[in-house]
Amino acid sequence: MFRSALNCIIGMLVVMALVVTIVFIIVRVTPGDPAAVMLGPDANTADIAALRERLGLNAPLPV
């Protein structure tokens, strides 16, 4: 009983790690600026720069 529950938990953790990794890669590979998309077409460059700073999108990937 304990072993089968442990196998299920380990399986769930593996699936969650894979899903997080795939979503991270998809978000980083898609073209366009996420800040500009979030603010819409009426946003000015100062607002986009401020949102990039707040979300940490202007920092390198390892940071």
Side-chain angles (χ1 to χ4, degrees):
M1 179 77 172
F2 177 73
R3 187 176 174 112
S4 108
L6 186 62
N7 283 337
C8 283
I9 291 172
I10 291 172
M12 285 189 298
L13 292 175
V14 169
V15 169
M16 287 174 56
L18 287 173
V19 169
V20 166
T21 303
I22 291 169
V23 169
F24 179 79
I25 290 170
I26 289 172
V27 168
R28 288 297 180 168
V29 172
T30 54
D33 182 16
V37 172
M38 289 172 72
L39 293 176
D42 296 331
N44 59 21
T45 55
D47 291 338
I48 294 172
L51 183 61
R52 276 192 207 128
E53 179 71 30
R54 189 171 51 126
L55 294 178
L57 296 173
N58 57 351
L61 190 57
V63 173

